Amino acid sequence: MADYREAPLATRPKTLDPAEYFNLSLDQRRAEEERAGLRAQLKRQYQMQLNNPHRKELIEDPALTRWVYARTNPYNHFRATKKTSLLGGLFGVVPLFVLYYVLKTDREEKRPCIYS
Amino acid sequence: MAAVGFRNWARALSRGKQPGFSALLSQVRAASGPSKGMLPGPYPKTPEERAAAAKKYNMRAEDYEPIPDHGEGYGDYPQLPDRSQHERDPWYSWDHPDLRRNWGEPIHWDFDMFIRNRVDTSPSPVDWHTMCKHLFGFIGFMMLMFYLGEKFPSYQPVAPKQYPYSSLHLERGGDPEKQPEERERTNVAGSKAKSAAEERHAEGERP
């Protein structure tokens, strides 16, 4: 299995992943502990709200709110750069002309057959 | 009253930072829900902005990496690893087990693509080269066989359908007096049957 190659965009199995075996320095361990600390705080917040007997409302998730807001408001931070203009033109403008041309030619070809 | 409303609207449009209709929308937000500081903002330029954004998204400042800004409108949203929810531990007690996610955890931009009903980035059972070999080998083999089948066809012998009564000479409106021309007949049963049929035809009887 030394020459295992994962599919593009997929991940390696955990047993073949070098990160499993080589991320052992003190800094990395400290980083892992900090991440675990953040996770624990979030868990605590959630559990406190979940098990609160006086709670009547739904537990709101600010991460979800942020995600929804970010996904629905991209135009606030949109800039017309070369890349965005190219993509916009390619997906928004070119199909109009291409479709018009294709449908029109097809119709013109079929017209004499139908009306003859 | 409509005129007053129109004037206010025109004033708001000219004063707003963003052009057009969105000027009206962004200046008006309900007081309920998260404050402006808790919502995603523009791309962070200074290290302080980065630290503040990392804190906002519940991430370590070293882990926080905003999506590179090419103008697509991501703002300061973090770039999380493109891993599907299939890959997360099924046995850990997640706050939302079906989504395999904890409350408050930063959500990937394409989270709705990476849920367990959709895109799966977990490791494939066989490695890439074996998969390629199997797939293209199979397709190549089938294409080769179909090509050979086209080149060397093999089927039961067929001939045009033969009709009796001199190829239905009378039924096709042929002259009863005239003799129909002798057509090239494929021998079916044997010369004996053919000669018997020919005799009967010569006498003008129906066989």
Side-chain angles (χ1 to χ4, degrees):
Chain A
M1 267 282 162
D3 53 353
Y4 176 93
R5 194 194 138 184
E6 65 270 27
L9 304 174
T11 47
R12 295 202 121 202
K14 213 147 194 277
T15 44
L16 291 176
D17 186 10
E20 173 95 354
Y21 303 106
F22 295 120
N23 282 355
L24 299 174
S25 74
L26 279 175
D27 281 331
Q28 279 157 341
R29 285 185 206 238
R30 205 169 297 128
E32 280 296 328
E33 296 221 348
E34 281 180 33
R35 285 180 207 129
L38 277 172
R39 272 202 301 271
Q41 281 175 23
L42 289 171
K43 265 279 200 217
R44 185 182 167 277
Q45 271 185 38
Y46 181 64
Q47 292 293 331
M48 292 291 276
Q49 285 177 286
L50 190 67
N51 302 322
N52 181 6
H54 301 295
R55 173 178 67 88
K56 287 193 285 286
E57 63 277 338
L58 284 176
I59 304 177
E60 181 202 332
D61 188 355
L64 189 67
T65 321
R66 278 191 287 271
W67 179 70
V68 170
Y69 182 86
R71 282 283 290 255
T72 47
N73 298 316
Y75 296 112
N76 290 351
H77 308 294
F78 179 82
R79 279 186 349 254
T81 63
K82 283 201 291 267
K83 178 180 171 188
T84 55
S85 315
L86 182 72
L87 284 172
L90 210 59
F91 283 98
V93 177
V94 166
L96 291 171
F97 290 98
V98 166
L99 271 173
Y100 170 81
Y101 175 73
V102 166
L103 290 170
K104 192 87 164 86
T105 5
D106 190 50
R107 284 239 183 114
E108 295 301 318
E109 276 173 36
K110 288 238 176 75
R111 181 176 278 264
C113 302
I114 297 170
Y115 288 112
S116 65
Chain B
M1 198 157 92
V4 171
F6 182 78
R7 225 171 334 120
N8 282 340
W9 184 73
R11 212 181 297 144
L13 270 179
S14 52
R15 214 188 302 146
K17 273 184 270 206
Q18 295 113 347
F21 195 61
S22 56
L24 281 172
L25 299 173
S26 60
Q27 288 168 15
V28 177
R29 221 158 37 83
S32 64
S35 58
K36 201 90 188 268
M38 294 304 288
L39 288 174
Y43 189 83
K45 295 191 190 55
T46 66
E48 293 85 26
E49 282 180 15
R50 275 186 172 237
K55 195 167 161 62
K56 176 171 70 176
Y57 288 109
N58 294 326
M59 295 172 78
R60 281 174 74 235
E62 295 85 2
D63 290 338
Y64 172 74
E65 188 59 50
I67 301 176
D69 184 28
H70 298 298
E72 295 109 335
Y74 290 116
D76 64 355
Y77 207 83
Q79 172 70 281
L80 296 159
D82 291 333
R83 297 283 138 82
S84 152
Q85 302 299 94
H86 286 89
E87 292 188 32
R88 299 207 173 188
D89 186 2
W91 299 108
Y92 174 79
S93 56
W94 301 99
D95 293 336
H96 306 292
D98 50 338
L99 297 171
R100 291 187 185 165
R101 186 186 156 262
N102 283 324
W103 184 89
E105 192 189 315
I107 303 181
H108 193 285
W109 183 270
D110 291 317
F111 178 74
D112 49 351
M113 181 174 83
F114 286 131
I115 58 171
R116 284 164 63 204
N117 271 330
R118 297 181 181 174
V119 171
D120 180 5
T121 60
S122 53
S124 47
V126 198
D127 73 310
W128 176 245
H129 290 297
T130 317
M131 280 200 286
C132 284
K133 268 186 270 190
H134 286 183
L135 179 68
F136 294 121
F138 176 73
I139 292 178
F141 175 72
M142 294 309 287
M143 281 172 74
L144 175 75
M145 293 309 284
F146 276 114
Y147 172 72
L148 289 176
E150 282 291 323
K151 210 67 180 168
F152 306 113
S154 146
Y155 45 82
Q156 293 284 337
V158 289
K161 188 167 172 65
Q162 298 174 43
Y163 293 93
Y165 309 121
S166 317
S167 306
L168 299 174
H169 174 74
L170 292 173
E171 282 81 354
R172 288 189 211 215
D175 197 354
E177 308 300 323
K178 266 175 50 182
Q179 277 285 5
E181 65 258 21
E182 187 70 26
R183 262 176 149 211
E184 177 66 40
R185 263 194 269 175
T186 325
N187 202 352
V188 174
S191 49
K192 232 198 272 185
K194 187 180 175 200
S195 50
E198 267 187 1
E199 273 180 32
R200 279 200 291 269
H201 174 76
E203 290 168 40
E205 273 180 33
R206 297 252 147 177

